[in-house]
Amino acid sequence: MTDLLPIGRFARLCRLSVKQLRHYDDLGLLAPAWVDPASGYRYYRPDQAGEALSIGLLRSLDVPLPDIGKALSSGTSALQAVRDRMKADLARRRKALDLLERVLAEGLPRADVTVVREPARRVFVERDTATPATIGAATSRCVARSLAAVTPHGPLIGLFPLDLADEFTVAIAAETDDDRADEVLPGGSYAVATHVGPYDRIALTSHGLLTWCADHGHLPIGPLREVYLNAPTLTPPERLVTQLMIRLDDGA
């Protein structure tokens, strides 16, 4: 008992607050060595300082408390998933910064839009689950599986929901005469805009396309189609051409 430190002194030793130590105790991350049953006051052993300092370090690195608990119990390998999430978030923020720089330089995007009649198309479809951060990887997987399964007649067509929730389905459609082409993309009137440049800037053109629909009183019907007119493996990113299409509700 003479070696135990009261919570205030232990907090100063570990560069944490008393409130933080109480919170970590409530979560089961760092329990005190002894709690006075009469007063409820917490006491800690000096050799608990290393664990407390580790918790403080990981929190300063934005590691969530549940993941800190896993790291303390099973080693730093438990932090790999945290690192992967951080890298994905960093990539998303870099993409957002790039788009914001474009908006600052060029203003809010507008698009040159035409309305066309699109025939129904018999297609083979590959689907995958995505989040806003993983949409590119999920789309690439669909492309790879589609090309391995069938020989497309014409460009591949990406299908994306108009509202991107926390998790959603993306798809790649390949027009083909293959027997596995058992789905039909509906025909009708479509608003069409052309995007030239990297895929990660398509959001600007799709914004312009949706703005045109709103300005002209059209209710868009999803999904948003992305028709890839040239191959990214053979084309520099700045010269990629993608046709964006949204079905219109009124047959205009």
Side-chain angles (χ1 to χ4, degrees), residues 118-123 125 157 159 173 183-187 190 223 225:
E118 174 75 3
R121 299 181 184 276
R122 184 168 167 264
V123 293
V125 179
I157 302 170
L159 304 172
E183 298 189 36
V184 175
L185 294 184
Y190 283 78
R225 295 188 190 181

Side-chain angles (χ1 to χ4, degrees), residues 7 78 113 115 117 143 146 190 193 215 225 251:
I7 190 171
V113 178
V115 177
R117 293 294 299 180
V143 169
S146 295
Y190 283 78
D215 289 346
R225 295 188 190 181

Side-chain angles (χ1 to χ4, degrees), residues 89-128:
D89 183 61
L90 181 60
R92 180 185 62 80
R93 289 178 179 273
R94 284 174 174 164
K95 175 182 174 182
L97 179 60
D98 177 67
L99 295 181
L100 181 58
E101 293 286 4
R102 289 268 168 171
V103 170
L104 288 172
E106 303 171 6
L108 289 172
R110 310 294 290 186
D112 292 328
V113 178
T114 58
V115 177
V116 301
R117 293 294 299 180
E118 174 75 3
R121 299 181 184 276
R122 184 168 167 264
V123 293
F124 169 82
V125 179
E126 281 285 353
R127 294 180 173 85
D128 211 323

Side-chain angles (χ1 to χ4, degrees), residues 134-208:
T134 64
I135 189 170
T139 303
S140 295
R141 290 194 296 269
C142 290
V143 169
R145 293 199 300 267
S146 295
L147 294 177
V150 298
T151 300
H153 296 170
L156 294 176
I157 302 170
L159 304 172
F160 303 91
L162 293 179
D163 298 319
L164 299 183
D166 292 339
E167 188 173 276
F168 50 88
T169 299
V170 299
I172 289 292
E175 190 174 11
T176 178
D177 294 331
D178 193 285
D179 291 340
R180 285 171 290 181
D182 56 359
E183 298 189 36
V184 175
L185 294 184
S189 293
Y190 283 78
V192 180
T194 300
H195 172 80
V196 179
Y199 294 144
D200 59 10
R201 295 177 188 164
I202 282 179
L204 296 177
T205 304
S206 63
H207 171 87

